């Protein structure tokens, strides 16, 4: 066996300790000095994990569940642990209990896909390089994270599905694409730094776009997109035409230029 565990024993909790002073013969660990005294031997049996699992480990032998499948609620079909996300890369699916681990693993591959299995909160993480697709489904993605050094993240959400993008995202020399109706909540902020691109393929962007120094760009798909709020965070005026280029960004305001540092352009303003 790979591991041996004796419940309640401090001396014999793993394979190495059990074999110290014992010889393994015919599924039995026999004490070296008492080869014929079975009373002093340890009979090894395979744990069936029927005692249940605690934090993904067998309550009897400590076996760590590999989380190879989930039920309809996103819980591991073996141990019942709630999974945060599934990462599909190189033709293989891997389950993760935290979104931070899932996202980090995904950005370690090229063209990986992250599928949320529950509401998730990213905790101040930075993701670099490679291209990743994040499928929200009916779940909510919150927290905050940074895309940097050429990273590309495309976020999609099934049309009409529950769940919302509430995360704050810093895009630095990277690309953020919002597909279908993955529009951020009103409290969400997307901050564009340096050579950053925000490609909003939805008809509306519900959060705030903050523009920082560098060559930033707003793109839209074939349908015009209404941005709820755009804020100039630089020390100089910014013309929206320079930011949008040939895209079809729409801001329902009397003014199309952030004419001073710190200016705010907001949809439906008077």
């Amino acid at each position: 066996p790979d591991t041996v565990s004796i419940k309640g024993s401090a001396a014999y909790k793993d394979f190495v300790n059990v074999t110290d002073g014992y010889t393994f013969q015919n599924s039995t660990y026999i004490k070296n000095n008492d080869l014929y005294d079975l009373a002093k031997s340890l009979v090894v049996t395979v744990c069936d994990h029927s005692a249940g699992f605690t934090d993904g480990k067998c309550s009897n032998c400590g076996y760590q569940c590999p989380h190879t499948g989930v039920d309809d609620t996103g819980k591991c079909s073996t141990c019942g642990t709630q999974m945060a996300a599934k990462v599909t890369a190189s033709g293989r699916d891997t389950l993760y209990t935290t979104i931070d681990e899932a996202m980090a693993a995904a950005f370690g591959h090229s063209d990986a896909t992250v599928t949320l299995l529950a509401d998730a909160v990213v905790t101040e993480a930075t993701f670099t390089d490679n291209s990743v697709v994040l499928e929200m489904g009916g779940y909510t993605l919150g927290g905050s994270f940074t895309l940097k050094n050429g990273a590309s993240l495309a976020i999609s959400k099934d049309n009409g599905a529950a769940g919302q993008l509430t995360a704050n995202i810093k895009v630095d020399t990277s690309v953020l694409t919002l597909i279908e109706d993955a529009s951020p909540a009103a409290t969400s902020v997307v901050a564009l730094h340096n050579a950053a691109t925000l490609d909003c393929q939805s008809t509306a962007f519900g959060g705030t776009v903050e523009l920082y120094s560098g060559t930033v760009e707003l793109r839209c798909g074939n349908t015009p997109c209404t941005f709820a709020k755009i804020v100039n965070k630089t020390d100089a005026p910014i013309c929206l035409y320079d930011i949008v280029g040939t895209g079809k960004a729409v801001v329902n305001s009397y003014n199309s230029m952030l004419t001073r540092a710190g200016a705010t352009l907001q949809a439906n303003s008077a």
Side-chain angles (χ1 to χ4, degrees):
D2 294 327
T3 60
V4 172
S5 172
I6 303 174
K7 190 173 183 179
S9 171
Y12 305 119
K13 285 190 174 180
D14 57 47
F15 185 85
V16 175
N17 288 335
V18 170
T19 56
D20 182 17
Y22 284 79
T23 300
F24 184 66
Q25 297 180 10
N26 299 324
S27 300
T28 303
Y29 282 97
I30 301 176
K31 198 167 181 60
N32 291 338
N33 294 330
D34 299 281
L35 293 179
Y36 302 103
D37 188 353
L38 294 181
K40 295 181 181 179
S41 301
L42 304 176
V43 178
V44 179
T45 59
V46 178
C47 180
D48 61 4
H49 316 308
S50 59
F53 288 81
T54 302
D55 296 329
K57 293 183 178 181
C58 175
S59 301
N60 179 49
C61 71
Y63 166 77
Q64 177 66 59
C65 179
H67 309 313
T68 56
V70 292
D71 60 19
D72 293 339
T73 65
K75 293 182 179 179
C76 175
S77 52
T78 300
C79 70
T81 299
Q82 178 65 58
M83 297 290 105
K86 175 183 69 176
V87 174
T88 303
S90 302
R92 178 183 177 186
D93 292 341
T94 305
L95 299 169
Y96 293 89
T97 56
T98 69
I99 187 60
D100 290 45
E101 292 176 322
M103 293 284 283
F107 275 99
H109 297 269
S110 59
D111 299 322
T113 298
V114 179
T115 303
L116 292 187
L117 299 174
D119 292 342
V121 176
V122 185
T123 55
E124 298 289 344
T126 297
F127 307 112
T128 62
D129 309 312
N130 293 324
S131 298
V132 170
V133 174
L134 173 63
E135 297 180 349
M136 293 177 57
Y139 298 105
T140 293
L141 178 67
S144 61
F145 59 92
T146 298
L147 302 175
K148 198 170 183 179
N149 296 340
S152 177
L153 177 64
I155 302 177
S156 69
K157 183 169 83 75
D158 296 337
N159 288 322
Q164 200 169 26
L165 178 61
T166 62
N168 295 323
I169 306 172
K170 178 180 178 181
V171 186
D172 187 344
T173 323
S174 298
V175 177
L176 173 65
T177 302
L178 302 177
I179 304 172
E180 297 169 353
D181 62 346
S183 175
T187 56
S188 179
V189 176
V190 174
L192 303 180
H193 295 252
N194 302 313
T197 297
L198 171 60
D199 187 356
C200 187
Q201 299 179 8
S202 175
T203 57
F205 184 95
T208 298
V209 178
E210 293 183 345
L211 307 176
Y212 289 82
S213 60
T215 306
V216 299
E217 181 180 3
L218 298 179
R219 295 180 188 169
C220 299
N222 295 325
T223 303
C225 176
T226 299
F227 288 85
K229 189 175 183 181
I230 301 176
V231 180
N232 181 7
K233 305 293 284 188
T234 70
D235 295 326
I238 294 178
C239 177
L240 277 183
Y241 180 82
D242 296 332
I243 302 168
V244 176
T246 59
K248 298 180 179 179
V250 175
V251 178
N252 296 330
S253 172
Y254 65 93
N255 191 1
S256 63
M257 178 181 288
L258 302 180
T259 54
R260 66 185 186 281
T264 298
L265 196 60
Q266 190 161 351
N268 303 318
S269 60

